[in-house]
């Protein structure tokens, strides 16, 4: 890897020298040498030299320097990812033991625990593992940049193959191709000229289905089934799917309308049909089996008889003739459902054919082909492309990805209020308390009479809300209920928030009232703030105590999904309290659901960074409370996480396998005792200790962020929040409301801003002071309280994962660089006061982590990340220093504001690439 990075650095250097001139190349080298020397030797002279050089840069040179260091990070990222693939290939060749997070490791661990295959297969019958792609704006890279990065990785891999084969000609070709890609990268604009539209975001997401999911998901099912082949004929139920919020999430995004939602479903369907047509066409080319050697079954003969293929050349090739007919029917289905969207196809259909009525009908025809192959002694052929196509149809249907609708609870309350006001002439609903609202909503839900009148003209907000649910109903009729199965309610604070959506669904025909009411959508409460997390168990108890609501749940298979928000809870209460309240909320929900006989499916609203619930997925799933997984796992994949996890098919398959493996282990291996000797996660000592630590951390965090006069001023001046708000990285506004309040700022720019200035308070603030206060009075590090914390770290997966995530955050913070950003605050007294507290908390947190883990340096147990950061940090430093200098120039009015903003945006891009996460 080190050699690859050096090689890519040389290629980039040659490109800079060629395109920007020798003077720019030498300037970049001088800055690089100073930064490396400062980091390696902790040399203050090198730091002063670095800062002096950067502050003296002319505008045009500053931009080139920023681009040089930013592109180095892009190239280094590709080298690191390629190296990880190289290590895994080497492990497979050496027949190394399966690694944690792999399917083989999970199956082995489950079998070692004495779980039979039938129980594993039974889990999948009721399981759901579903990453949900969102358009949350944290991806700072353009798709054009991401495409070039993938191309560079492919060229680097080709060069590696040539070197291994000692093929000098191939090596030279690969080198020239890679240099060509780096040149294109250098000549490509890094920044979007305009904010992406929701339609742009939909198309960006579809690229991951074309490039990764449609191929990788069926292949992963093959891997799972093959790993379980101890019993013949194992078929794993379609538990793994990919869902989306893009085009359905309208919370705070005025650009997501009912017409956009309809368009999103059409575009998704088009991609699914295009894939099926390509695969069926390829199958037709492959299955040249002659009737003489592979006699057709009666079922296949019937399929051939229905085919429109009458070509004499294929008269004796029943498999091809059958597939020609299947192709024609799929093409007819695509045309009928496309809504005018052109579906790319490899060829025109032969003749005319009736469309399929459902994916099950298509699957039945493909099963006929598969069974005929098995009957002809060609089971191995059936296990190839056809097996994967059948699985794709089973998983992706005619809709490709389930689309969730999300809207804020306040919107629903206003909409119901207007509907009632127009129906009664009085504002009766708005005057009701929670109990009164529940009673009113239940009365209306039990009646078939509609509240909404087609003869009444409603306001824009109400009209759009009603049109959204009408669109959901239309999509169900067209693509099936799986196309839009879920409605998520942001900021749920009581049962009436859920019943309001049920009432609106009834008005659209999505909920059928009567003695046995039925709902065709899942209504999902989202609990986000600390207060809502604490109340969620009680709210669900109230809901489950309503006989009408329990009847609705019966119509949904007695499964209730609950979404938990990691981002807003962190912004509300800080890292430690957010994590602990999320854990306790899950414990509470497991208890409530068990008491009421309802199956719980948790939907984790995680972001990419630790401050928004991010971190390694495998350990995060295994650290969940006992009983909270049980085969059910949905989680959001956002922004830069989507590109890093699923932009490459190999990496995408590995990340999906990790989610599946973690779910299997958390569900089937006793979660109360992982390795021998582990203490149960709900050990009362641990729970009480976390309660105490959380209360102390909450007080410290709230004291800084919400109770310190001038904190908002510090935040606005010490971070690039305003410039981040100007970045064209998403269609959604940065704030829910037009105000300076922290409460109204979205969690993404909040976390993004702190990460850029290397202060990262959302990821650590409060932990250090909490541990210090908890251990007060103990001397010499030998007291029982510290021993207890060390035991918690050694024995409790939740606490171990929490502390390990803290380590990652601390490794990416830098108080020296943070001090430069603090220097941007104009009021010296305010700056010294707040930054002094941040620095002290950082030092306390560092000391607490070392005391608990026994380590003497950060990331001692994560050598690969430690090495990566050690290598890339000297290349991040110049971008941070230059960002500070450019912010100073912009705020002082020195230079062209447009050019300065562009250069600042480039530094934001580069720092995000270097740290490998944004928001």
């Amino acid at each position: 890897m080190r050699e690859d990075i050096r090689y890519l650095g040389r290629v980039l250097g040659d490109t800079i020298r060629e395109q920007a001139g020798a003077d720019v190349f030498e300037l970049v080298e001088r800055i690089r040498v100073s930064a490396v020397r400062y980091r390696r030797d902790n040399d203050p002279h090198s730091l002063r030299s670095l800062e002096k050089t950067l502050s003296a840069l002319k505008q045009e040179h500053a931009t080139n320097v920023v681009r040089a260091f930013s592109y180095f990070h892009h190239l280094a990222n590709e080298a690191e990812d390629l190296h990880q693939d190289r290590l895994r290939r080497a492990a497979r060749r050496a027949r190394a033991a399966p690694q944690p997070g792999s399917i083989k490791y999970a199956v082995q661990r489950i079998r070692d625990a004495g779980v039979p295959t039938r129980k594993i297969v039974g889990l999948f019958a009721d399981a759901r593992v579903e990453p949900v792609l969102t358009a949350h704006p944290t991806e700072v890279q353009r798709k054009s940049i991401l495409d070039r990065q993938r191309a560079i990785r492919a060229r680097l891999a080709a060069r590696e193959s040539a070197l291994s084969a000692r093929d000098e000609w191939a090596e030279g070709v690969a080198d020239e191709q890679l240099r060509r890609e780096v040149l294109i990268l250098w000549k490509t604009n890094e920044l979007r000229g305009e904010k992406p539209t929701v339609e742009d975001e939909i198309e960006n997401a579809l690229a991951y289905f074309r490039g990764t999911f449609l191929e990788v998901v069926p292949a992963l099912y093959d891997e799972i089934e093959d790993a379980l082949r101890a019993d013949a004929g194992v078929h794993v139920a379609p538990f793994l799917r990919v869902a989306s919020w893009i085009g359905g999430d309208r919370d705070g995004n005025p650009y997501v309308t009912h017409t956009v939602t309809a368009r999103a479903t059409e575009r998704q369907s088009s991609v699914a049909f295009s894939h099926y047509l390509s695969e069926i066409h390829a199958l037709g080319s492959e299955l040249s089996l002659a009737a003489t050697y592979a006699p057709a079954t009666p079922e296949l003969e019937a399929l051939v008889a229905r085919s429109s293929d009458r070509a004499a050349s294929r008269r004796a090739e029943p498999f091809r003739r059958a597939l020609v007919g299947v192709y024609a029917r799929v093409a007819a289905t695509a045309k009928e459902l496309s809504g005018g969207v052109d579906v790319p196809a490899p060829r025109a259909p032969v003749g005319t054919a009736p469309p399929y009525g459902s994916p099950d009908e298509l699957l039945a025809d493909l099963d006929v082909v598969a069974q005929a192959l098995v009957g002809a002694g060609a089971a191995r052929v059936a296990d190839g492309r056809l097996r994967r196509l059948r699985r794709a149809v089973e998983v992706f249907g005619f809709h490709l990805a389930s689309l969730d609708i999300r809207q804020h609870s306040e919107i629903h309350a206003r909409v119901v209020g207007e509907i009632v006001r127009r129906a009664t002439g009085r504002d009766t609903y708005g005057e009701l308390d929670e109990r009164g609202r529940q009673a009113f909503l239940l009365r209306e839900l039990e009646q078939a009479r509609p509240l909404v009148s087609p003869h009444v003209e409603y306001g824009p907000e109400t009209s759009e809300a009603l049109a959204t649910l009408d669109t959901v109903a239309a999509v169900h009729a067209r693509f099936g209920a799986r196309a839009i199965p879920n409605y998520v309610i942001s900021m749920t604070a009581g049962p009436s928030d859920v019943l309001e959506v049920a009432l609106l669904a009834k008005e659209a025909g999505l909920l059928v009232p009567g003695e046995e009411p039925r709902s065709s959508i899942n209504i999902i409460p989202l609990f986000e703030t600390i207060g809502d997390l604490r109340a969620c168990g009680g709210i669900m108890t109230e809901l489950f105590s309503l006989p009408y609501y329990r009847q609705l749940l019966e119509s949904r298979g007695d499964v209730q999904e609950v979404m938990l928000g990691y981002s807003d809870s962190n912004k509300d209460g800080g890292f430690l309290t957010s994590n602990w309240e999320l854990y306790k909320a899950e414990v509470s929900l497991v208890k409530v659901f068990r008491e009421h006989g309802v199956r719980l499916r948790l939907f984790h609203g995680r972001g990419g960074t630790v401050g928004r619930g991010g971190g390694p997925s495998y350990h995060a799933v295994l650290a969940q409370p006992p009983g909270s997984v049980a085969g059910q796992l949905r989680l959001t994949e956002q922004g830069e996480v989507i590109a890093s996890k699923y932009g490459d098919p190999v990496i995408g398959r590995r990340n999906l396998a990790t989610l599946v493996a973690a779910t299997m282990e958390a569900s089937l291996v006793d979660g109360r005792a992982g390795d021998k000797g582990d203490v149960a996660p709900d050990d009362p000592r641990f729970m009480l200790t976390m309660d105490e630590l959380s209360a102390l951390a909450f007080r410290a965090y709230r004291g800084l962020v919400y109770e310190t006069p001038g904190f908002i001023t510090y935040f606005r001046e010490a971070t690039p929040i305003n410039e981040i708000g100007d970045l064209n990285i998403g269609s959604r506004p940065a704030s829910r409301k037009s105000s300076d309040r922290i409460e109204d700022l979205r969690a993404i720019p909040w976390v993004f801003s702190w990460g850029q200035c290397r202060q990262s308070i959302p990821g650590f603030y409060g932990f250090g002071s909490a541990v210090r206060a908890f251990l007060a009075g103990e001397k010499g590090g030998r007291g029982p309280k510290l021993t207890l914390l060390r035991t918690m770290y050694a024995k409790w997966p939740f606490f171990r994962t929490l502390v390990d995530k803290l380590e990652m955050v601390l490794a990416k913070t830098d108080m020296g660089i943070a001090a430069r950003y603090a220097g941007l605050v104009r009021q010296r007294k305010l700056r010294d006061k707040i930054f002094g507290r941040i620095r002290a908390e950082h030092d306390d947190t560092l000391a607490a982590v070392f005391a608990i883990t026994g380590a003497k340096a950060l990331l001692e147990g994560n050598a690969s990340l430690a090495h990566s950061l050690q290598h890339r940090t000297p290349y991040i430093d110049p971008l941070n220093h230059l960002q500070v200098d450019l912010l100073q120039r912009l705020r002082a009015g020195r230079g062209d504001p447009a050019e300065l903003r562009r250069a600042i945006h480039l530094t934001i891009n580069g720092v995000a690439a270097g740290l490998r996460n944004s928001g």
Side-chain angles (χ1 to χ4, degrees), residues 34 88 538 826:
S34 294
R88 270 178 281 275
R826 286 167 293 182

Side-chain angles (χ1 to χ4, degrees), residues 691-707:
D691 278 338
E692 186 174 347
L693 289 172
S694 176
L696 292 166
F698 183 76
R699 194 178 307 132
Y701 176 83
R702 295 287 300 190
L704 175 73
V705 174
Y706 293 98
E707 298 166 10

Side-chain angles (χ1 to χ4, degrees), residues 155-174:
R155 303 307 181 199
L156 192 61
R159 177 176 178 268
E160 179 183 6
S161 297
L163 287 169
S164 298
R166 298 186 180 180
D167 186 336
E168 293 183 6
W169 180 82
E171 181 189 347
V173 170

Side-chain angles (χ1 to χ4, degrees), residues 12 21 30 60 271 280 374 423 511 531 593 617 629 645 712 770 855:
L12 178 62
R30 190 161 69 250
E60 62 273 16
V271 170
I280 295 166
V374 173
L511 188 153
F593 277 58
S617 299
V629 178
K645 282 188 174 182
I712 293 175

Side-chain angles (χ1 to χ4, degrees), residues 384-437:
R385 186 187 297 273
L386 179 57
R387 181 188 184 189
R388 293 191 296 276
L389 173 60
R390 289 162 62 211
R391 181 62 82 174
V393 173
E394 192 177 32
V395 171
F396 298 107
F398 290 165
H399 64 288
L400 186 70
S402 294
L403 186 67
D404 285 11
I405 303 296
R406 182 173 75 134
Q407 184 57 282
H408 199 287
S409 60
E410 288 182 359
I411 303 289
H412 304 135
R414 290 200 295 267
V415 167
V416 171
E418 182 179 3
I419 292 170
V420 172
R421 187 167 62 253
R422 295 299 184 95
T424 65
R426 294 180 295 116
D427 189 18
T428 53
Y429 186 76
E431 295 168 354
L432 297 174
D433 61 10
E434 174 63 25
R435 293 289 181 189
R437 289 189 177 195

